[in-house]
C-alpha cells in the first residue's frame, strides 16, 4: 500500500499545501474575524501551521480511509515542519519560531517509523495474532489519544477557561473548516472519495504534542 501511494505523489502534494498554506491562512482569517489579541492570534496560527498528527492515522483507519496515504502525508508534513513552521510564523506573524530539527527527526523515528516497521513485521510474520488483536486497536488508540491530549489540556486548563468562548469558537472552527478544505481540495483535483476523506482528516488533525512544546 505504501509503494502504491508513493507512486502517486499528487495527493501527498495537495495534502502538504492544505497543511501549510490553507490551514495557516484560515487560522489568520479566523483570528481577524474574532478579533483575537496578539498572543491568541499567534497561538491559532501556530496550530494551523502544525504538521499532521499521528492520531490522524487512527481516525483514517476508523473512517475507512486510505491509511497508507494518511501515513505518508503525516510523514511529509512532519519533515516539512522543520522549515515550514519557521517560514509561516515569520511571514504571517513577523516573528520566527525555533524548531528543533534533530528532535523532530528523532521523535519521528521513535513514535512513527519504528512502530510502523514493527507493525508491518508483525503483520508479515504473526498475521493471526495481529488479526485477532485488530478489533481492539481503535479502542486502545482512542483511549490513549484522549489521555495524552487530556494531559496537555489539563496543564493549561486555567488559561483555557479564562478565555472562554472567545478562544473555543475559532479553535473549533479551524478544525472543522480545515477538514472541509482538505476534502474539497482533493475533490477539485479529481481525487476519489476515499482519498478526499483521508485528506480532510489529515488536514484538520494536527500534532498537538509539537504544538504544546512550541507554545
Amino acid at each position: 500500500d505504501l509503494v502504491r501511494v508513493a507512486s502517486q505523489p499528487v495527493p501527498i502534494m495537495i495534502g502538504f499545501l492544505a497543511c501549510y498554506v490553507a490551514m495557516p491562512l484560515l487560522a489568520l482569517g479566523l483570528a481577524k474575524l474574532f478579533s483575537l489579541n496578539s498572543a491568541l492570534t499567534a497561538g491559532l496560527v501556530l496550530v494551523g501551521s502544525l504538521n499532521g498528527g499521528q492520531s490522524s492515522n487512527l481516525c483514517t483507519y476508523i473512517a475507512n480511509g486510505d491509511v497508507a496515504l494518511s501515513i505518508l502525508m503525516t510523514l511529509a508534513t512532519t519533515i516539512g515542519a522543520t522549515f515550514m513552521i519557521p517560514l509561516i510564523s515569520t511571514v504571517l506573524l513577523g516573528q520566527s519560531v525555533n524548531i528543533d530539527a534533530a528532535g523532530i527527526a528523532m521523535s519521528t523515528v521513535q513514535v512513527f517509523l519504528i512502530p510502523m516497521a514493527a507493525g508491518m513485521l508483525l503483520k508479515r510474520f504473526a498475521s493471526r495474532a495481529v488479526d485477532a488483536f485488530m478489533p481492539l486497536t481503535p479502542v486502545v488508540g482512542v483511549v490513549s489519544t484522549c489521555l495524552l491530549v487530556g494531559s496537555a489540556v489539563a496543564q493549561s486548563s486555567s488559561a483555557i477557561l479564562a478565555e472562554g468562548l472567545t478562544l473555543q469558537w475559532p479553535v473549533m472552527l479551524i478544525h472543522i473548516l480545515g477538514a472541509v478544505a482538505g476534502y474539497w481540495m482533493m475533490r477539485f483535483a479529481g481525487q476519489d472519495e476515499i482519498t478526499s476523506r483521508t485528506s480532510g482528516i489529515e488536514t484538520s488533525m494536527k500534532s498537538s504534542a509539537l504544538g504544546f512544546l512550541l507554545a
Side-chain angles (χ1 to χ4, degrees), residues 24-45:
L25 292 176
L26 177 60
L28 185 61
L30 287 171
K32 299 293 186 183
L33 178 64
F34 285 90
S35 301
L36 299 184
N37 60 41
S38 59
L40 292 181
T41 296
L44 193 64
V45 171

Side-chain angles (χ1 to χ4, degrees), residues 6-32:
S7 66
Q8 300 174 345
V10 172
I12 298 175
M13 294 171 62
I14 295 173
F16 195 90
L17 291 175
C19 178
Y20 289 123
V21 177
M23 285 294 281
L25 292 176
L26 177 60
L28 185 61
L30 287 171
K32 299 293 186 183

Side-chain angles (χ1 to χ4, degrees), residues 176-193:
I176 294 174
L177 297 177
V180 173
Y183 177 90
W184 282 107
M185 286 177 70
M186 284 292 182
R187 293 299 279 177
F188 288 145
Q191 301 298 318
D192 59 31
E193 166 65 24

Side-chain angles (χ1 to χ4, degrees), residues 27-65:
L28 185 61
L30 287 171
K32 299 293 186 183
L33 178 64
F34 285 90
S35 301
L36 299 184
N37 60 41
S38 59
L40 292 181
T41 296
L44 193 64
V45 171
L46 178 61
V47 169
S49 305
L50 291 172
N51 55 296
Q54 280 73 35
S55 57
S56 64
N57 308 145
L58 170 64
C59 290
T60 298
Y61 173 74
I62 295 172
N64 294 319

Side-chain angles (χ1 to χ4, degrees), residues 140-157:
V140 174
V142 169
V143 171
S144 300
T145 300
C146 289
L147 290 174
L148 290 171
V149 174
S151 174
V153 171
Q155 294 180 57
S156 305
S157 58

